[in-house]
């Protein structure tokens, strides 16, 4: 790469050159096999109360399978723009399935335009049922894409429910606590492509603007390019260096609400200055659309008074999406008015 193409970050976009040692790598094998659930729960509590993020290893998802999903994701994003736009998310109405072009979704719209493209799928439904539930859109002549990405979604649903058992135990709840909120949970399997940036880079255009995730739990598979940045409690941006064989786990707004800020849904963003294409595969799981989320009694104390009113999962999440997608703003206004 020539000197003229080297990215020059604005000072506000610089991340400290620190490893993620402060956010632990948690071996979840004892949680999954039942040999020492409480030990894992203790590590989860430290991670989520201090950082909101953790890496997990020995998660039971084969590396070769994850690599195959990355492969079909790259192949999809290499398709002509016209073919991808034929699957545009707006065609799925409020189910929010399909392709999102660069700048088509902006997570920090008051400050940043997101230089990324996405493809979203969710639980398969034959027709539109309402927000987040409807038919997936699939590229034609690409059967392995559908097979692998939907298979990955199903594996992530299973892994997420196991991780939520660990989170429940970490809060001294019964390990099946979340099951009552997740008979038909909202889930989104996203594929992401971040083009590299060069020249001077400011906060106005980066891979994805600073945000917290909207729901319960995120499971992120990263390639080896890097670019994830996480804000620590001191307000510093720290690089989320990829660790082979692990997933990055973070909680979203609803778990922070549930725990009355005992657990932290941390701000994060992506800035790709690697000179390479970056790909990632985040999976998001929430609760049922009508599930009520309110602070646990055990998390409300004199020192930590009640901070949140009850919300329903679907209304909260759809409102956050409406703020990011221009075509949803009017739809959300109508839903709120009714």
């Amino acid at each position: 790469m020539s000197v003229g193409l080297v990215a020059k970050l604005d000072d506000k976009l610089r991340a400290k050159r620190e490893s993620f040692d402060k956010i632990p790598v948690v071996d979840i094998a004892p949680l999954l096999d039942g040999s020492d659930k409480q030990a894992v729960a203790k590590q989860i509590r430290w991670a989520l109360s201090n950082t909101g993020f953790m890496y997990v290893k020995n998660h039971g998802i084969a590396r070769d399978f994850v690599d195959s999903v990355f492969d079909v994701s790259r192949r999809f994003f290499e398709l002509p723009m016209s073919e991808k736009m034929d699957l545009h998310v707006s065609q799925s109405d409020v189910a929010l399935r399909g392709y999102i072009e660069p700048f088509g979704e902006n997570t920090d719209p008051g400050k940043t335009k997101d230089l990324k493209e996405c493809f979203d799928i969710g639980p398969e439904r034959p027709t539109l049922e309402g927000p987040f539930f409807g038919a997936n859109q699939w590229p034609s002549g690409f059967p392995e894409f559908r097979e692998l990405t939907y298979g990955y979604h199903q594996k992530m649903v299973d892994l997420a429910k196991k991780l939520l058992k660990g989170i429940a135990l970490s809060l001294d709840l019964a390990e099946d606590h979340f099951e009552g909120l997740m008979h038909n949970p909202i889930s989104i399997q996203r594929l992401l492509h971040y083009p590299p940036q060069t020249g001077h880079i400011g906060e106005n255009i980066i891979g994805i603007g600073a945000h917290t995730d909207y729901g319960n739990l995120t499971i992120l598979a990263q390639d080896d390019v890097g670019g994830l940045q996480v804000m620590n409690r001191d307000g510093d941006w720290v690089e989320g260096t990829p660790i082979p064989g692990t997933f990055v786990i973070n909680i979203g707004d609803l778990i922070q609400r549930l725990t009355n800020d005992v657990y932290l849904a941390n701000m994060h963003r992506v800035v790709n200055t690697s000179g390479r294409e970056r790909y990632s595969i985040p999976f998001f799981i929430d609760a049922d659309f009508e599930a009520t989320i309110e602070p646990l009694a055990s998390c409300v104390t004199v020192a930590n008074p009640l901070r949140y009113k009850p919300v329903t999962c679907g209304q909260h999440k759809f409102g956050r999406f409406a703020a990011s997608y221009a075509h949803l703003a009017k739809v959300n206004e109508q839903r709120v008015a009714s």
Side-chain angles (χ1 to χ4, degrees), residues 8-182:
K8 298 180 180 178
L9 285 177
D10 187 283
D11 287 343
K12 293 181 180 179
L13 291 177
R14 296 188 182 280
K16 289 189 174 184
R17 293 285 179 178
E18 296 179 8
S19 72
F20 251 61
D21 292 342
K22 293 181 180 178
I23 296 179
V25 178
V26 178
D27 183 348
I28 62 170
L31 173 68
L32 301 185
D33 66 21
S35 61
D36 200 343
K37 297 177 182 180
Q38 291 297 336
V40 177
K42 184 177 180 180
Q43 294 178 69
I44 289 173
R45 185 176 182 91
W46 189 94
L48 298 186
S49 60
N50 286 283
T51 71
F53 274 72
M54 61 185 175
Y55 295 104
V56 297
K57 66 178 183 178
N58 294 326
H59 43 67
I61 309 298
R63 180 68 180 270
D64 288 348
F65 179 68
V66 178
D67 289 344
S68 69
V69 180
F70 271 108
D71 179 63
V72 294
S73 176
R74 293 186 191 97
R75 290 164 57 195
F76 172 79
F77 288 118
E78 289 170 356
L79 292 174
M81 180 59 75
S82 60
E83 292 186 31
K84 292 183 288 189
M85 289 299 287
D86 285 343
L87 305 169
H88 194 263
V89 66
S90 61
Q91 298 179 168
S92 71
D93 203 315
V94 294
L96 298 172
R97 310 287 178 83
Y99 176 70
I100 303 104
E101 75 280 17
F103 309 129
E105 177 198 53
N106 297 294
T107 52
D108 189 9
K111 183 182 294 183
T112 303
K113 294 178 69 177
D114 290 357
L115 182 58
K116 69 181 192 300
E117 53 179 343
C118 323
F119 189 84
D120 287 354
I121 66 171
E124 192 69 84
R125 297 290 188 272
T127 59
L128 180 67
E129 297 179 359
F132 307 110
F133 291 96
N136 288 308
Q137 301 190 78
W138 301 106
S140 61
F142 199 171
E144 63 271 35
F145 178 85
R146 177 173 184 165
E147 177 185 356
L148 287 166
T149 58
Y150 197 70
Y152 188 87
H153 171 273
Q154 298 300 87
K155 288 181 182 292
M156 290 298 105
V157 170
D158 182 62
L159 178 59
K161 289 181 177 180
K162 292 173 181 176
L163 287 166
L164 285 165
K165 288 183 177 181
I167 292 175
L169 291 172
S170 77
L171 293 166
D172 297 322
L173 301 169
E175 66 178 304
D176 63 354
H177 174 82
F178 289 99
E179 292 180 12
L181 301 173
M182 300 177 67

Side-chain angles (χ1 to χ4, degrees), residues 311-325:
V311 297
T312 61
C313 172
Q315 289 175 335
H316 168 80
K317 190 176 181 76
F318 192 78
R320 291 292 302 270
F321 267 85
S324 298
Y325 288 102

Side-chain angles (χ1 to χ4, degrees), residues 53 108 210-212 229-232 237 265-269:
F53 274 72
D108 189 9
H211 66 287
T212 58
Q229 298 181 359
V230 178
M231 181 179 284
N232 65 22
W237 289 102
N266 215 336
M267 297 285 285
H268 52 288
R269 64 189 181 187

